[in-house]
Short mmCIF file of all heavy atoms in Angstrom, two decimals:
data_model
loop_
_atom_site.label_atom_id
_atom_site.label_comp_id
_atom_site.label_asym_id
_atom_site.label_seq_id
_atom_site.Cartn_x
_atom_site.Cartn_y
_atom_site.Cartn_z
N THR Q 376 22.82 19.90 74.57
CA THR Q 376 21.40 19.79 74.91
C THR Q 376 20.52 20.59 73.96
O THR Q 376 19.35 20.26 73.78
CB THR Q 376 21.12 20.25 76.35
OG1 THR Q 376 21.46 21.63 76.48
CG2 THR Q 376 21.89 19.42 77.36
N VAL Q 377 21.08 21.62 73.33
CA VAL Q 377 20.30 22.47 72.43
C VAL Q 377 20.51 22.10 70.96
O VAL Q 377 19.57 22.00 70.20
CB VAL Q 377 20.67 23.96 72.65
CG1 VAL Q 377 19.96 24.84 71.65
CG2 VAL Q 377 20.36 24.38 74.06
N ALA Q 378 21.75 21.89 70.58
CA ALA Q 378 22.07 21.72 69.16
C ALA Q 378 22.67 20.35 68.84
O ALA Q 378 23.06 20.12 67.70
CB ALA Q 378 23.04 22.81 68.73
N GLY Q 379 22.76 19.48 69.81
CA GLY Q 379 23.42 18.19 69.59
C GLY Q 379 24.91 18.33 69.82
O GLY Q 379 25.45 19.44 69.80
N PRO Q 380 25.56 17.24 70.04
CA PRO Q 380 27.00 17.32 70.33
C PRO Q 380 27.78 17.81 69.11
O PRO Q 380 27.57 17.31 68.00
CB PRO Q 380 27.38 15.89 70.69
CG PRO Q 380 26.29 15.03 70.14
CD PRO Q 380 25.07 15.87 70.05
N PRO Q 381 28.66 18.79 69.31
CA PRO Q 381 29.46 19.26 68.18
C PRO Q 381 30.52 18.23 67.82
O PRO Q 381 31.01 17.50 68.68
CB PRO Q 381 30.11 20.54 68.71
CG PRO Q 381 30.15 20.36 70.18
CD PRO Q 381 28.96 19.52 70.53
N ARG Q 382 30.82 18.14 66.54
CA ARG Q 382 31.89 17.23 66.11
C ARG Q 382 33.12 18.06 65.79
O ARG Q 382 33.01 19.15 65.22
CB ARG Q 382 31.45 16.40 64.92
CG ARG Q 382 31.31 17.16 63.64
CD ARG Q 382 30.78 16.31 62.49
NE ARG Q 382 31.14 16.76 61.18
CZ ARG Q 382 30.95 17.95 60.67
NH1 ARG Q 382 30.44 18.89 61.39
NH2 ARG Q 382 31.29 18.23 59.43
N PHE Q 383 34.25 17.58 66.21
CA PHE Q 383 35.50 18.30 65.99
C PHE Q 383 36.38 17.47 65.07
O PHE Q 383 37.40 16.92 65.48
CB PHE Q 383 36.21 18.59 67.32
CG PHE Q 383 35.48 19.60 68.17
CD1 PHE Q 383 34.66 19.18 69.20
CD2 PHE Q 383 35.60 20.94 67.91
CE1 PHE Q 383 33.97 20.10 69.97
CE2 PHE Q 383 34.92 21.88 68.68
CZ PHE Q 383 34.11 21.46 69.71
N ASP Q 384 35.98 17.40 63.80
CA ASP Q 384 36.78 16.68 62.82
C ASP Q 384 37.83 17.62 62.23
O ASP Q 384 37.97 18.77 62.67
CB ASP Q 384 35.89 16.06 61.73
CG ASP Q 384 35.09 17.11 60.96
OD1 ASP Q 384 35.38 18.31 61.08
OD2 ASP Q 384 34.16 16.70 60.23
N GLY Q 385 38.56 17.17 61.25
CA GLY Q 385 39.62 17.97 60.67
C GLY Q 385 39.14 19.28 60.08
O GLY Q 385 39.78 20.32 60.23
N SER Q 386 37.98 19.25 59.41
CA SER Q 386 37.43 20.47 58.82
C SER Q 386 37.07 21.50 59.88
O SER Q 386 37.37 22.69 59.73
CB SER Q 386 36.18 20.12 58.00
OG SER Q 386 35.52 21.28 57.58
N VAL Q 387 36.45 21.06 60.96
CA VAL Q 387 36.07 21.97 62.03
C VAL Q 387 37.32 22.54 62.71
O VAL Q 387 37.39 23.74 62.98
CB VAL Q 387 35.16 21.26 63.05
CG1 VAL Q 387 34.96 22.11 64.29
CG2 VAL Q 387 33.82 20.93 62.42
N ARG Q 388 38.30 21.70 62.96
CA ARG Q 388 39.53 22.19 63.62
C ARG Q 388 40.27 23.20 62.73
O ARG Q 388 40.83 24.18 63.24
CB ARG Q 388 40.41 21.03 63.99
CG ARG Q 388 39.89 20.26 65.17
CD ARG Q 388 40.90 19.27 65.73
NE ARG Q 388 40.37 18.66 66.93
CZ ARG Q 388 39.81 17.45 66.97
NH1 ARG Q 388 39.73 16.73 65.87
NH2 ARG Q 388 39.35 16.97 68.10
N LEU Q 389 40.24 22.98 61.42
CA LEU Q 389 40.87 23.94 60.51
C LEU Q 389 40.13 25.27 60.54
O LEU Q 389 40.75 26.34 60.64
CB LEU Q 389 40.90 23.38 59.09
CG LEU Q 389 41.43 24.34 58.02
CD1 LEU Q 389 42.87 24.73 58.31
CD2 LEU Q 389 41.30 23.71 56.64
N ARG Q 390 38.81 25.23 60.48
CA ARG Q 390 38.02 26.46 60.54
C ARG Q 390 38.22 27.16 61.87
O ARG Q 390 38.33 28.39 61.92
CB ARG Q 390 36.54 26.17 60.27
CG ARG Q 390 36.32 25.73 58.85
CD ARG Q 390 34.89 25.69 58.36
NE ARG Q 390 33.83 25.49 59.29
CZ ARG Q 390 33.26 24.31 59.56
NH1 ARG Q 390 33.69 23.20 58.97
NH2 ARG Q 390 32.26 24.23 60.40
N LEU Q 391 38.29 26.41 62.97
CA LEU Q 391 38.56 27.02 64.28
C LEU Q 391 39.89 27.76 64.26
O LEU Q 391 40.00 28.88 64.77
CB LEU Q 391 38.57 25.96 65.38
CG LEU Q 391 37.24 25.53 65.94
CD1 LEU Q 391 37.41 24.31 66.84
CD2 LEU Q 391 36.56 26.65 66.69
N ALA Q 392 40.90 27.14 63.70
CA ALA Q 392 42.23 27.77 63.64
C ALA Q 392 42.18 29.05 62.80
O ALA Q 392 42.77 30.07 63.18
CB ALA Q 392 43.25 26.79 63.06
N LEU Q 393 41.47 29.02 61.68
CA LEU Q 393 41.38 30.21 60.83
C LEU Q 393 40.58 31.31 61.51
O LEU Q 393 40.98 32.48 61.46
CB LEU Q 393 40.76 29.84 59.48
CG LEU Q 393 41.62 28.95 58.59
CD1 LEU Q 393 40.82 28.46 57.39
CD2 LEU Q 393 42.88 29.68 58.15
N TYR Q 394 39.47 30.98 62.13
CA TYR Q 394 38.67 31.97 62.85
C TYR Q 394 39.46 32.54 64.02
O TYR Q 394 39.39 33.73 64.31
CB TYR Q 394 37.36 31.38 63.35
CG TYR Q 394 36.40 30.98 62.26
CD1 TYR Q 394 35.62 29.85 62.39
CD2 TYR Q 394 36.25 31.73 61.11
CE1 TYR Q 394 34.72 29.47 61.40
CE2 TYR Q 394 35.35 31.36 60.12
CZ TYR Q 394 34.59 30.24 60.26
OH TYR Q 394 33.70 29.87 59.29
N ARG Q 395 40.21 31.70 64.71
CA ARG Q 395 41.03 32.15 65.84
C ARG Q 395 42.10 33.13 65.35
O ARG Q 395 42.30 34.20 65.94
CB ARG Q 395 41.67 30.95 66.53
CG ARG Q 395 42.35 31.29 67.83
CD ARG Q 395 42.89 30.04 68.53
NE ARG Q 395 41.78 29.18 68.95
CZ ARG Q 395 41.62 27.92 68.56
NH1 ARG Q 395 42.48 27.34 67.76
NH2 ARG Q 395 40.59 27.21 68.99
N ALA Q 396 42.77 32.79 64.24
CA ALA Q 396 43.79 33.68 63.69
C ALA Q 396 43.17 35.02 63.29
O ALA Q 396 43.74 36.08 63.56
CB ALA Q 396 44.46 33.03 62.48
N SER Q 397 42.00 34.97 62.68
CA SER Q 397 41.32 36.20 62.28
C SER Q 397 40.97 37.06 63.49
O SER Q 397 41.23 38.27 63.49
CB SER Q 397 40.05 35.84 61.49
OG SER Q 397 39.30 36.99 61.20
N LEU Q 398 40.40 36.46 64.51
CA LEU Q 398 40.03 37.22 65.71
C LEU Q 398 41.26 37.80 66.41
O LEU Q 398 41.26 38.96 66.82
CB LEU Q 398 39.25 36.33 66.69
CG LEU Q 398 38.85 36.99 68.00
CD1 LEU Q 398 37.94 38.20 67.75
CD2 LEU Q 398 38.17 35.99 68.92
N TYR Q 399 42.32 37.02 66.52
CA TYR Q 399 43.52 37.51 67.19
C TYR Q 399 44.17 38.65 66.40
O TYR Q 399 44.70 39.59 66.98
CB TYR Q 399 44.51 36.38 67.43
CG TYR Q 399 44.04 35.35 68.44
CD1 TYR Q 399 44.72 34.16 68.61
CD2 TYR Q 399 42.90 35.54 69.22
CE1 TYR Q 399 44.29 33.21 69.53
CE2 TYR Q 399 42.47 34.61 70.13
CZ TYR Q 399 43.17 33.44 70.29
OH TYR Q 399 42.75 32.50 71.19
#
């Protein structure tokens, strides 16, 4: 509703995995 629907393509999923690894 604020920023539009997020897209979860391959690039986004890869960045999520890297950010998750960094945070953990």
